[in-house]
Amino acid sequence: MGQFNEQVYEVVKQIPPGRVASYGQVARMIGRPRNARFVGFALHSNPQPGIIPCHRVVFKDGSLAPGFAFGGPEAQRALLEQEGIQFLDDGRVDMEQCCWEVY
DNA sequence: GTCCTGACGAGTA
DNA sequence: GTACTCGCCAGGA
């Protein structure tokens, strides 16, 4: 595996509870602003169970991929709600309040 | 070994 | 405002 995936995991692992990050944001953090695609692909390809909170990585819009792998979008929504993430009426994450800020 | 596809995002037409 | 294309890397067939 290339370091790209490792970097992705490293960043995603650092997302604190109650916060979400977009694929593009993660991609930008690892120095690959155009690799947002592969951020999601990396998580899909090699999700370390219990280490990588994939559910905290969402679209820039705040919504998730159509074919999620947790067991349905409902499962993810439940997980995010448990962490205190607020959902909009559209069923999207409130990126305005929950977007992960890098220190 | 080569070709194709894949959890995105931003720009252009 | 909507639709389409390009960019980028890695893994599977």
Side-chain angles (χ1 to χ4, degrees):
Chain A
M1 302 203 295
Q3 292 186 331
F4 175 80
N5 286 34
E6 285 189 33
Q7 293 287 84
V8 172
Y9 303 143
E10 190 109 355
V11 172
V12 174
K13 283 191 296 185
Q14 292 177 49
I15 301 175
R19 287 271 129 102
V20 294
S22 64
Y23 295 100
Q25 184 154 8
V26 174
R28 190 169 295 189
M29 288 175 190
I30 64 179
R32 297 282 183 299
R34 294 171 164 71
N35 290 40
R37 255 182 133 173
F38 315 112
V39 173
F41 191 47
L43 298 176
H44 171 71
S45 193
N46 231 352
Q48 311 286 336
I51 303 180
I52 305 176
C54 308
H55 59 277
R56 287 183 197 148
V57 185
V58 298
F59 276 64
K60 192 184 169 236
D61 292 351
S63 55
L64 258 182
F68 206 63
F70 291 86
E74 299 178 3
Q76 185 184 18
R77 180 176 142 181
L79 287 168
L80 294 174
E81 283 187 320
Q82 279 183 39
E83 295 182 350
I85 294 173
Q86 300 176 7
F87 274 76
L88 301 176
D89 190 33
D90 294 354
R92 300 177 203 182
V93 178
D94 190 351
M95 293 297 284
E96 296 296 304
Q97 294 186 31
C98 300
C99 74
W100 180 32
E101 301 175 29
V102 188
Y103 300 93

